[in-house]
Amino acid sequence: SGNPIFTNFLWNEIGRGTDLKELEKWMQDNSKTIKEITAAAFSTEAPRYTDFFPVNSIDVASAKRGEKLFNTSCLKCHGEYQKAWSGENADQLSAIELLATTKVIYHDKTPVKDVGTDPNRYQAMKYFADELNNLAISKWMKTKVEPQVGYVPPPLVGIWARYPYFHNNSIPTLCDVLSTEKNRPKKFVLGPAENKETDFDQECVGYPVANKIPKAWLKDDEAVFDTTKPGLRNIGHTKMLLNENGTEKFSVSDKKDLVSFLKTL
């Protein structure tokens, strides 16, 4: 609870070893600036895929099929996204207008779900919660930490631009989100987004992996994300991908359709 911008300041500065008395004074002296940052954070709209790539790079028929799959398998946790292509005046819209999300219906109360992803962040927060809540600055900020098993299934507006995925950034692409644990890459490279043709996988949406990785990225050993390390594991979110008999729910073409739909959010 509390202003999330306050909370981000606090946690980031604790991690950097900042004097918390100095931080509290700075926050008190700059309350107007913090209010402006808060307003900006909540009013900023997510970029659309077509802000960076041609509208014809999205297969609308595929996206519509993906919408149906999403609504039967993903809507319950991640919310509903109503599309302009389903509106009464869809035949009057341009190609780019058809892709617009006209309404987002998300939970009134943000849920927390345990889908088997790496639990280390929750465990760490559980360990530190009492100490964080007892800080004078936390009481002044009216911020209270309540550890909960699992993590928030986020709304997916602008999800195409929010890679890498999962709460611990352990999944490089949407294709990998839709793959079972054993088929996800164990390592990938966190490279710069400078060239949209080489630094972004348009088909799978996210970081290029395997033989698609730009050679220049491979020179930086510190940019390698290793999912075998504790806290960085890419486990979980698999039950949603399986039928009751353990077989995969989505075919290769189904996954392509889902990714097409997610590009439009």
Side-chain angles (χ1 to χ4, degrees), residues 16 74 89 91 108 128 171 201 220 231 242 248 254-255:
R16 298 200 299 189
C74 314
N89 66 333
D91 59 338
D108 290 334
F128 288 112
I171 305 287
D201 188 331
D220 186 358
L242 300 176
E248 286 205 45
D254 287 341
K255 294 177 183 179

Side-chain angles (χ1 to χ4, degrees), residues 12-31:
N12 288 339
E13 295 307 313
I14 285 177
R16 298 200 299 189
T18 297
D19 184 303
L20 297 184
K21 291 183 179 179
E22 291 183 8
L23 175 63
E24 182 175 343
K25 185 178 186 307
W26 181 89
M27 294 175 75
Q28 291 172 343
D29 293 344
N30 293 274
S31 59

Side-chain angles (χ1 to χ4, degrees), residues 28-56:
Q28 291 172 343
D29 293 344
N30 293 274
S31 59
K32 181 180 178 181
T33 299
I34 293 173
K35 287 180 180 179
E36 291 173 349
I37 293 173
T38 304
F42 279 93
S43 63
T44 300
E45 294 186 5
R48 295 180 63 177
Y49 193 83
T50 49
D51 291 340
F52 296 86
F53 302 100
V55 64
N56 60 9

Side-chain angles (χ1 to χ4, degrees), residues 98-146:
L98 275 176
L99 298 176
T101 301
T102 57
K103 187 175 183 179
V104 177
I105 303 174
Y106 190 67
H107 311 271
D108 290 334
K109 182 178 180 180
T110 304
V112 175
K113 302 284 186 180
D114 183 4
V115 295
T117 50
D118 194 300
N120 283 37
R121 179 178 294 182
Y122 154 71
Q123 292 169 352
M125 190 54 62
K126 182 179 179 181
Y127 182 82
F128 288 112
D130 288 343
E131 295 296 331
L132 285 170
N133 290 333
N134 284 331
L135 290 173
I137 189 173
S138 296
K139 295 176 180 178
W140 169 76
M141 289 165 45
K142 296 182 174 59
T143 292
K144 185 177 181 181
V145 176
E146 294 184 18

Side-chain angles (χ1 to χ4, degrees), residues 50-75:
T50 49
D51 291 340
F52 296 86
F53 302 100
V55 64
N56 60 9
S57 65
I58 295 180
D59 184 332
V60 178
S62 173
K64 288 181 177 180
R65 293 192 298 269
E67 178 185 27
K68 293 179 180 178
L69 293 169
F70 181 92
N71 288 345
T72 57
S73 299
C74 314
L75 180 152

